[in-house]
Amino acid sequence: MDEAALQELLGDVRSGEVDLDDAVSRLRRLPFADLGFARVDHHRALRQGVAEAVFGPGKTPPQCAAIVAELLAAPGGPVILTRAGPEQIDAALAAAPGGAVVGATVVWRPAAARTDPVAVLAAGTADRPVADECVATLAAYGFGATRLDDVGVAGLHRLLADVDVVTDARAVVVIAGMDGALASVVGGISGAPVVAVPTSAGYGAAFEGVTALLSMLASCAAGISVVGIDNGFGAACAVARILGVGAAPHG
Amino acid sequence: MDEAALQELLGDVRSGEVDLDDAVSRLRRLPFADLGFARVDHHRALRQGVAEAVFGPGKTPPQCAAIVAELLAAPGGPVILTRAGPEQIDAALAAAPGGAVVGATVVWRPAAARTDPVAVLAAGTADRPVADECVATLAAYGFGATRLDDVGVAGLHRLLADVDVVTDARAVVVIAGMDGALASVVGGISGAPVVAVPTSAGYGAAFEGVTALLSMLASCAAGISVVGIDNGFGAACAVARILGVGAAPHG
Amino acid sequence: MDEAALQELLGDVRSGEVDLDDAVSRLRRLPFADLGFARVDHHRALRQGVAEAVFGPGKTPPQCAAIVAELLAAPGGPVILTRAGPEQIDAALAAAPGGAVVGATVVWRPAAARTDPVAVLAAGTADRPVADECVATLAAYGFGATRLDDVGVAGLHRLLADVDVVTDARAVVVIAGMDGALASVVGGISGAPVVAVPTSAGYGAAFEGVTALLSMLASCAAGISVVGIDNGFGAACAVARILGVGAAPHG
Amino acid sequence: MDEAALQELLGDVRSGEVDLDDAVSRLRRLPFADLGFARVDHHRALRQGVAEAVFGPGKTPPQCAAIVAELLAAPGGPVILTRAGPEQIDAALAAAPGGAVVGATVVWRPAAARTDPVAVLAAGTADRPVADECVATLAAYGFGATRLDDVGVAGLHRLLADVDVVTDARAVVVIAGMDGALASVVGGISGAPVVAVPTSAGYGAAFEGVTALLSMLASCAAGISVVGIDNGFGAACAVARILGVGAAPHG
Amino acid sequence: MDEAALQELLGDVRSGEVDLDDAVSRLRRLPFADLGFARVDHHRALRQGVAEAVFGPGKTPPQCAAIVAELLAAPGGPVILTRAGPEQIDAALAAAPGGAVVGATVVWRPAAARTDPVAVLAAGTADRPVADECVATLAAYGFGATRLDDVGVAGLHRLLADVDVVTDARAVVVIAGMDGALASVVGGISGAPVVAVPTSAGYGAAFEGVTALLSMLASCAAGISVVGIDNGFGAACAVARILGVGAAPHG
Amino acid sequence: MDEAALQELLGDVRSGEVDLDDAVSRLRRLPFADLGFARVDHHRALRQGVAEAVFGPGKTPPQCAAIVAELLAAPGGPVILTRAGPEQIDAALAAAPGGAVVGATVVWRPAAARTDPVAVLAAGTADRPVADECVATLAAYGFGATRLDDVGVAGLHRLLADVDVVTDARAVVVIAGMDGALASVVGGISGAPVVAVPTSAGYGAAFEGVTALLSMLASCAAGISVVGIDNGFGAACAVARILGVGAAPHG
Amino acid sequence: MDEAALQELLGDVRSGEVDLDDAVSRLRRLPFADLGFARVDHHRALRQGVAEAVFGPGKTPPQCAAIVAELLAAPGGPVILTRAGPEQIDAALAAAPGGAVVGATVVWRPAAARTDPVAVLAAGTADRPVADECVATLAAYGFGATRLDDVGVAGLHRLLADVDVVTDARAVVVIAGMDGALASVVGGISGAPVVAVPTSAGYGAAFEGVTALLSMLASCAAGISVVGIDNGFGAACAVARILGVGAAPHG
Amino acid sequence: MDEAALQELLGDVRSGEVDLDDAVSRLRRLPFADLGFARVDHHRALRQGVAEAVFGPGKTPPQCAAIVAELLAAPGGPVILTRAGPEQIDAALAAAPGGAVVGATVVWRPAAARTDPVAVLAAGTADRPVADECVATLAAYGFGATRLDDVGVAGLHRLLADVDVVTDARAVVVIAGMDGALASVVGGISGAPVVAVPTSAGYGAAFEGVTALLSMLASCAAGISVVGIDNGFGAACAVARILGVGAAPHG
């Protein structure tokens, strides 16, 4: 319910078409669908410009399927199912055919393709599932990210070989576990927005991603921002915000 | 030393004007000035598009003054002294007159004014020093941020009264201690990039900002990214990256 | 053994009906039944007004069954089996038919129905098992809680649609993982007692509920109180205390 | 702005007395006063039924004074200044005479006296400042709490001597540092609501209150709820919610 | 090699029976048997008066069996296998018949029975496995501990019913998870040595025993000492030290 | 109020000398003195056999003096003032002359001298204040501990030079910061009870004593027990319990 | 690409054999092979002198096999597969026969044997897998380490029996869980470099190796350095660095 | 007491010159001087080859002076006073003239100069005090380290300008706070031993050095080892061990 709709409602009040009690009630009610076990938000895309995502863990396959179908039943933007197991994916695709599956992520109704160059860098091969989630989510928003895997700082020349990918990007996602040092190095060679994603990959003193998380937050390269551990989805959403997906209505 | 300079150097090698040994040596050397106690980086602005900042704590007033003066001696972008005490500020201003002082931050040679709307929200009055640092740093980059103080979620209507500031912004900085819940609320009503800054303000179970930091990282509003505790400077740099300060050479 | 019983005992001592040594001994002994592996407390309901609960984990199915049966053998209030697996539930129901099963909770001999309006809010679908435990425990005390699922702050209008449930309640339980921000928001719109339950649901920086726990404890909405992670049972008991279950003898 | 006011506004829209644009604007605006450095909330008492509190740390004495004066300028409920230093207290009293000072807390315009029995227990003498804050805040709400100091579990008989205070109370606040065990003991002998406040008092392995906080959250006595470390103010607010201060309009 | 043996060796040196190089070498060598994968210590009982224990986890069943057999092959005191799985127990008993099995603990060659009264208290039924390990280890040292299960502070009268067990004991082991409050209560009613064992049993905010550990270390009852989480074996060894098992040679 | 007193009271009830209501009341009241700000426990020494201690921090000098004087006014055992500053000590000595001052500890009315050999070992010179507190508290109980300072494991021969002190002791207190390794080494060469006290002394990764605390709790020498950081007083009380101070009435 | 190659490239630029653009491009490119899912670094051995290692977890067996084969396809030093499961090992050996398997480690193309004495000490039998990884990695570098298992400080004589191994070594690796005290003891008797490896073995308060990690970092024996938990591979690499594997080109 | 001395003692026993009891006693006694408050170790240099260091904090100036003087009174190696305040330094120099003061470190009787190239890198100017301590300690061992200040990864070219210092070194100490990323970068370009020192310098999420500590321990560059936070002294000792100071007697 945007400002125009609010004015219309108040106009209806003035003209008497809408009863006072009813108006009070509607002023508090924005569109969503109540499935009993979930309240599906048809309003979020309008409000935030972000895709509607269904987080898999803790939901039954039928619940996943029902929420996805409900979201697709109304007009709107991309719908994403994340961290889904095979049974959840199967159920969702049966209810809503046509989703594109990448790893544990499924995307329906992706946004129109955009040309902004986005780079997604993963430090090690163990960070690939997080990069998969990030790239799939970016694709839902219409971004065809350029991806560099296995470019950790222990062999900086591997990054330097494709350094154009970094310097040309309008936004860079850096995904790393262990010491998370890749974020600082990328932040030092690029002036673009850098969104850092710590991963739970690693051993020794990686502490399930806490070390990389802290290291990225304390990066000596100014202006890096950070999302939660293994949160490739969140990083992609941050990029979508940065590149103006949500700002379109503003002009 | 950008790509053009590299080509020129290699041209000089081909023409024989530069000796091979010398070229090898110069290829490894980018411009900075060695003051003995610090290596002042004249290259960072070119490389990253970010301002050069001098972090006050741990430096003597003369060291602060010398670094600032050295940075201003070469052409370049904004110069910022952060977290400075009165003696550091006095010494720096004596050596480099004309700096604009806001709280513990001093800015010299600010960038040309820009019109992108940026919002800086602080949840409580105790978060104001962090907001000061953020707004002053944004000013160094040319952004005249709109600032809303004391708009924490315990009285949401205070935020809603100025909600246009949030919905119109191209980037929003949210500064909050305690539960950091303001970040989630703002992320839910705006599709613009949201950079969250946890602060060490608070009591009870605020744990010097750790609670707000964790809460912001775990925000249920997708696409929020976070910087370190009390790091208003870093948040401003992230905004500068987002709004293309560093990307200008690419465009 | 309440004050009346103590007076009676002492009267028996004066009259000589009870021997001194015996009285000393009885003064130290309050009613419970020793099953060998557990000491079943027949006194707690009198003393605290709270239901007697059997915590499933770590007990064999026969032990669960025996404790439940012992509790029901004596007159008293509600008996609750929590966090029980299917085998524990089967064994307990075989020994004590008639229990009402909700998720992993079983309730026997519920208290008489009460009319106090109680609201139980869960931020996400993954928080539902905790809400189940809370609602089932409230039912044991006679409260028919109104439950709102999936009303997290990322889509505040979902909460606002049913805001009457919150504003009309005499006590509100808020169940949330991730950033736990729902507790602050509810605390800001309701003057009723708010009992916050952090949950282990979440990812990124949720840290198994620790983030939500800290965030709720540091809530900027004054007067919120918190129980342990996933402790829907404890929150229900807190509500029972608040609404005077235990205070009845005093009134 | 409660529901009645909302209806009135809409009635004015219907009758044409209020312009549409103006109504849209007013619907987003609830009463507060913008002092520049703070947004003073005249609405919170109506909305939540809780007192308006000014948290001292980080504010200058003139800021404290101005906020207190602004709050008292409008009709309303109690006004509380907490954790204030001597200069803050002096400035506030100069601007707003008549406040009652207890330790670091000042109360103006207390609510009418209430008769609900409330008990405030402090385990050790070092916990007294927290008890002071709690008792002063309760007084602002009209409650004359009965206070028991120095009743830690190392000498349980000290508590038992005044056990009537506990068993007669409609709400009990338990304040303890170190192992926080007093909360469990009180929870075991009382069926009333127990709000536990961990304190930073202690040594050895008290860890600035973290040990007591965890211990209280993990209390084996069901239905205890907990607020932040040293948060006597928060506990008093929780009691005010429990005893229906905020629920009055609903009743 | 005790002081007498050292004197004898030196006498042999003086008399020429032992070569100098050999004596130097022997002075560095105390008796143990090298099994390749383990160095079995035949000296520890002499040196410390404590039983020789084999910790099961991480060892193959044949390794467990071999170490137990080697220990029993030499004269000495009790031999204990702890935290052993069924296959480890079977293998050990096959190699060394006659061990007494209690839960996951097996004891061979127990010390002669002693009459010192020792109490082992467990707060909840989930703490029983730790109590089993403790009681079995005490039995290896000859102590027939009196055990009280399910005597947590939520129902103090269950403890008080058998309070003689506590007040008569020469040493008390208190085993508790959750808030660990039982240790403080027992420490307050007994002047005997209290060894507290936190357990990993619990939920909510028990954090795998960390809460109980901290709570016990910060106990407000002076003179309580603590061992590691779930370490019933260690607590029994502490009691053995306290009651003079190791001090016998000195007396 | 011991068992004899209880019998006498009940006898008075039977004979009619004591009224029923009065008996009920007295049964709940054990001896202590209420000073307003503190409840001085005259019963603890009888009940636990431990000295009555006054913890200095957070108390005013007059409060320290009043509590000490009250404790000395009644017959009883040792009285100890710990962690006291110079002003607290002066005030206490003015009110109660004759106390023996050792560092920040003052002892009045020490117990009769005992001959049990007790060893107190401190790893480094920075651990000496904790050792002072421990030795002074032991002196209050009548133990003249043998003290070894600066015997850390980096130079084990310094310990070995006085190893008789360790092997002859009936109880050993080991005080160490940093890695706390001295506790394991002492536990390996002595069969006596070992009470380990981690200290906050250290640097690098000592973390204010947490490292030593964890290391001591995880000691590979079985049967070591641990008290809180810097808690020399608690360790001395543990030794007093071990050596039967509290058990005397039972023997 | 070492300095010589760089000079050759620049000579080609001068002579015109290499185009400027091409040179710029090549200056950024160092040798590695891009397998799509991994960037295999043929340069690291030259650059660092350390072996190329493939970390098993998170890679499919075919991926492990492909990376190992690629590394062996180019000339170079040792290739190591670590933390590999049986299927990964089988696949790797099928693709690259001849690897030496020790536990979960496989080594191909080991360096020539070296004679520097290296000692690897493991405190307990549960630390053996970490020692296996360390010894196998050392073997890849050509070192035939002398290994002492089960020499924890609870029975120091077991270490002293083979003390020559320690005192003769040019580098010592100390592997221990629990309290990690062995590192301090070894550091006190040897002047050689000591690399400490905390292990996750243990119970009670071992906290998955964190206690040993902290204890080793805070060792009171100066000059000990530490690697991550269970990181036997890293410790071996540190020894290789220390003994000059990587320094060969310099000397 | 080395092996030769031990043989001599035993020879004296054989010849009857030394009494048996006396020999037993002396075998346990290695040389140190007991100053009452400290046991000065004259043996450590022989035993470990490391310098004898006096840690300032917690010692009075006279104590510092006395320990230093005692150490210098016997022949031996370097003597170092660390973390000393001005008064401690003055007292020590008065008692033992000729010490070389660098920041808070004083060195007497330094070892003969050595030519091994050692590099000490500090990431920021705030890390300089730690570098001072490290360089001064290295000087005590005879090493004239080459020092690079302010070479953090945010401006890698500053490091690359002096990369020869790193590649030529036989050992590299890397000192960094914040994200500690410099250690990984140096480890990637050098094959020499890298000893990493996290510092407490920093802000945002540096957490007093914990972030850098974890990051360095989890470095993706293999073979880096780490010492405690701010422990420049320990890093220098590790280098001394690595470069054979302590191994000289063995060679």
Side-chain angles (χ1 to χ4, degrees), chain A residues 193 238 241-244 246-247 250, chain B residues 114-121 134 138 143-147 164-174 186 190-196 225 235-244:
Chain A
R241 288 174 177 264
I242 288 168
L243 296 182
H250 301 289
Chain B
R114 299 186 48 154
T115 59
D116 317 67
V118 175
V120 174
L121 282 63
C134 185
L138 285 167
F143 299 102
T146 304
R147 177 170 172 171
D164 293 344
V165 171
V166 174
T167 52
D168 290 351
R170 279 288 293 120
V172 185
V173 176
V174 178
V186 170
S190 165
V194 176
V195 179
S225 62
C237 293
V239 168
R241 289 174 177 265
I242 287 168
L243 295 183

Side-chain angles (χ1 to χ4, degrees), chain E residues 136-154:
Chain E
T137 304
L138 285 168
Y141 283 111
F143 299 101
T146 304
R147 176 170 173 173
L148 300 181
D149 281 331
D150 206 16
V151 289
V153 299

Side-chain angles (χ1 to χ4, degrees), chain G residues 117-220:
Chain G
V118 176
V120 174
L121 282 64
T125 54
D127 302 319
R128 289 170 55 93
V130 180
D132 286 347
E133 183 181 284
C134 185
V135 167
T137 304
L138 284 168
Y141 282 112
F143 299 101
T146 304
R147 177 171 173 172
L148 300 182
D149 281 332
D150 206 15
V151 289
V153 300
L156 267 180
H157 60 291
R158 294 179 299 187
L159 170 62
L160 297 178
D162 284 324
V163 75
D164 294 344
V165 171
V166 175
T167 52
D168 290 351
R170 278 288 292 118
V172 185
V173 176
V174 178
I175 299 166
M178 298 298 282
D179 58 7
L182 184 60
S184 291
V185 169
V186 169
I189 62 177
S190 165
V194 176
V195 180
V197 190
T199 75
S200 57
Y203 60 94
F207 293 115
E208 299 294 315
V210 170
T211 297
L213 172 64
L214 293 178
S215 173
M216 287 166 163
L217 283 166
S219 172
C220 48

